[in-house]
Amino acid sequence: EVQLVESGGGLVQPGRSLKLSCVASGFTFNNYWMTWIRQAPGKGLEWVASITNTGGSTYYPDSVKGRFTISRDNAKSTLYLQMNSLRSEDTATYYCTREGARYWGQGVMVTVSS
Amino acid sequence: DIQMTQSPSSLPASLGDRVTITCRASQDIGNYLRWFQQKPGKSPRLMIYGATNLANGVPSRFSGSRSGSDYSLTINSLESEDMAIYYCLQHNEYPYTFGAGTKLELK
C-alpha cells in the first residue's frame, strides 16, 4: 500500500523559513517523480513543485520560484520542500503526492503569520 | 500558462441524477487530464486519469470524456457519497494547473 506521510508544518513568521518532509513507503521511491501541491484554507488546489525520480530536474510555478526548493533523498525514501521568505499567502495545507497526484499524503498545515 | 476553466462552480443535484462537470483547456493538453474528488477535511482522491480512464476502486457510475478542448466528468445515478468538490488537473506541461473546482451538493 502506497503511504505518504508529511511532517514539519506549523506556525511561522513572515520572512522566515520552514522545511517540510514526506516519508514514502509501499513502493520503490526512486522510480517515481514526486510533487507538492497546496491548498489555502477554503480555496482550490495549487501545484507547488515537482522533481524527477533522480532529483536531476525540478519544476516550480512563478508563485514560489526562487523561494521554495524541492529535493529528495532516495536512500531514505523522503521528499522535502524547503520554503524560504515565507509570505502570508503561503498559508495552506501542503500535500505530498506521487507522480501527477495519483497518490496523496494526508497533508500538513503551514501558517504564515506574525 | 494553460488555463483550465471549470464549470459550473456549484451544482445542486438530487440523488439518482446524472450530472456533468466540464473543464476547458486554453491550449492543447492531449489526454493529460485528471479528475479529483475532495470531501471535507480529506485529501483529494484521483477519480479519472488520461481523461477517460477510471482509477482503481472508483465506482463505474463515474466516467470521463473529451470533446476537443472540453473535458467532462459524468456521474450517473448520483449517490449521497458523491457529494464533494471536484477538480480537474492538466499535467501536460508545467506549470500544472487545476480547475477552480465544482461543489456538488444536494438540491
Side-chain angles (χ1 to χ4, degrees), chain B residues 45-67:
Chain B
R45 173 193 179 190
L46 177 67
M47 306 299 282
I48 301 287
Y49 66 95
T52 61
N53 301 293
L54 213 59
N56 288 344
V58 175
S60 59
R61 62 182 180 274
F62 288 85
S63 63
S65 62
R66 174 189 176 186
S67 176

Side-chain angles (χ1 to χ4, degrees), chain A residues 61-107:
Chain A
D62 288 345
S63 58
V64 307
K65 194 176 297 181
R67 300 188 300 122
F68 289 13
T69 302
I70 188 173
S71 62
R72 64 192 297 160
D73 184 336
N74 284 345
K76 295 182 178 179
S77 296
T78 302
L79 178 72
Y80 303 100
L81 185 68
Q82 175 69 47
M83 304 184 292
N84 298 332
S85 303
L86 282 162
R87 306 166 180 169
S88 57
E89 55 262 38
D90 296 318
T91 294
T93 296
Y94 286 74
Y95 295 100
C96 166
T97 75
R98 196 188 91 174
E99 301 166 72
R102 181 178 287 269
Y103 295 97
W104 297 63
Q106 84 285 355

Side-chain angles (χ1 to χ4, degrees), chain A residues 33 37 39 43-47 50 59 61 95 100-102 104-107, chain B residues 34 36 38 42-46 49 56 87 89 91 94-96 98-100:
Chain A
W33 289 41
I37 291 169
Q39 186 171 38
K43 302 297 184 181
L45 300 166
E46 180 186 15
W47 167 70
S50 291
Y59 306 87
Y95 295 100
R102 181 178 287 269
W104 297 63
Q106 84 285 355
Chain B
R34 292 183 168 180
F36 299 89
Q38 188 178 30
K42 299 293 187 181
S43 302
R45 173 193 179 190
L46 177 67
Y49 66 95
N56 288 344
Y87 296 95
L89 165 70
H91 60 110
Y94 291 111
Y96 291 174
F98 287 90

